[in-house]
Amino acid sequence: KNQVEQSPQSLIILEGKNCTLQCNYTVSPFSNLRWYKQDTGRGPVSLTIMTFSENTKSNGRYTATLDADTKQSSLHITASQLSDSASYICVVSDRGSTLGRLYFGRGTQLTVWP
Amino acid sequence: KAGVTQTPRYLIKTRGQQVTLSCSPISGHRSVSWYQQTPGQGLQFLFEYFSETQRNKGNFPGRFSGRQFSNSRSEMNVSTLELGDSALYLCASSLGRSGLDSPLHFGNGTRLTVT
């Protein structure tokens, strides 16, 4: 069964600190993995997209890694800011018979305290 | 460039009624996909339209339907509403098919409450 699991479910850190969010998936055949940031009351915003051949991609203070062999990804946030408080969602796409089916993790709720 | 626009922003309906939600994609985007988001289940894929044809469908009952017009605008319809249909409904557009390498651009959603 194709699944995407994220951990931790929630996380509280102090402003200025770094943190790492995890995403494990069983989706096969794999097409790409995406990280989205969703602020409360808003739609998700794309942070990164990685295909099979990419193992690191950065977007400002956000760095995503992908290990396609172990089917794991992480999102590292450097020097956190209050505006980083949001839900971070991992999304994996397959490349099966129904091309481009998307599978969503339930997200990690990050809270940054001053 | 204007982003994805969803209307209405909030909606309150009673059980048994039907509802139609609207989504205007980013200009030039041909793919529109719909998602249901609830606290318990997270984001769940409803369906995707590309060039006016439904290309992919999630595991939702037939009460959930949609369509896409020639200008890529899309509507989603839910008939015979149930309490469990209360959720945030998100629409996303992309240049190519949603599952390929194009990023999804989400609207801010329609918050549907069924009483």
Side-chain angles (χ1 to χ4, degrees):
Chain A
K1 183 179 178 184
N2 289 321
Q3 286 185 309
V4 178
E5 301 285 344
Q6 291 187 245
S7 62
Q9 188 173 355
S10 62
L11 183 63
I12 299 174
I13 62 173
L14 293 177
E15 187 178 13
K17 297 297 186 183
N18 303 334
C19 67
T20 300
L21 314 181
Q22 299 290 342
C23 174
N24 296 339
Y25 62 92
T26 59
V27 177
S28 181
F30 174 84
S31 176
N32 60 64
L33 184 145
R34 315 161 188 224
W35 284 94
Y36 284 86
K37 177 189 178 189
Q38 186 175 22
D39 294 317
T40 301
R42 307 294 295 265
V45 173
S46 178
L47 294 175
T48 62
I49 298 178
M50 287 186 292
T51 59
F52 185 89
S53 59
E54 298 172 297
N55 53 26
T56 302
K57 186 163 276 192
S58 293
N59 179 357
R61 295 179 296 102
Y62 301 100
T63 300
T65 64
L66 173 65
D67 186 333
D69 292 331
T70 61
K71 299 187 176 181
Q72 296 180 324
S73 176
S74 64
L75 180 69
H76 186 73
I77 304 174
T78 304
S80 61
Q81 300 176 358
L82 298 179
S83 59
D84 292 331
S85 294
S87 178
Y88 291 84
I89 302 170
C90 175
V91 186
V92 181
S93 173
D94 72 12
R95 200 179 282 274
S97 57
T98 53
L99 183 65
R101 178 76 182 268
L102 297 174
Y103 299 87
F104 293 82
R106 295 193 180 187
T108 292
Q109 184 66 46
L110 174 66
T111 303
V112 180
W113 282 3
Chain B
K1 211 178 218 184
V4 177
T5 304
Q6 290 189 247
T7 57
R9 190 80 169 89
Y10 300 94
L11 206 49
I12 299 175
K13 291 285 188 178
T14 56
R15 278 179 296 176
Q17 287 187 312
Q18 75 164 14
V19 67
T20 299
L21 312 181
S22 181
C23 173
S24 294
I26 291 173
S27 177
H29 285 193
R30 296 168 63 192
S31 168
V32 174
S33 48
W34 289 89
Y35 306 86
Q36 182 194 67
Q37 187 174 36
T38 59
Q41 296 294 323
L43 268 163
Q44 294 184 282
F45 170 74
L46 280 158
F47 30 66
E48 179 199 8
Y49 287 87
F50 186 85
S51 295
E52 301 179 65
T53 302
Q54 188 180 92
R55 303 291 180 156
N56 223 332
K57 191 177 190 307
N59 297 323
F60 279 81
R63 301 185 296 107
F64 292 81
S65 63
R67 58 178 176 168
Q68 186 180 33
F69 302 95
S70 58
N71 61 359
S72 292
R73 191 178 69 85
S74 178
E75 287 182 346
M76 190 191 96
N77 185 76
V78 188
S79 62
T80 319
L81 284 166
E82 300 177 359
L83 294 179
D85 296 334
S86 295
L88 180 67
Y89 289 89
L90 291 161
C91 161
S93 74
S94 60
L95 270 174
R97 291 286 307 280
S98 63
L100 298 181
D101 300 343
S102 300
L104 295 175
H105 299 266
F106 285 87
N108 286 327
T110 293
R111 172 74 63 185
L112 172 65
T113 302
V114 182
T115 62

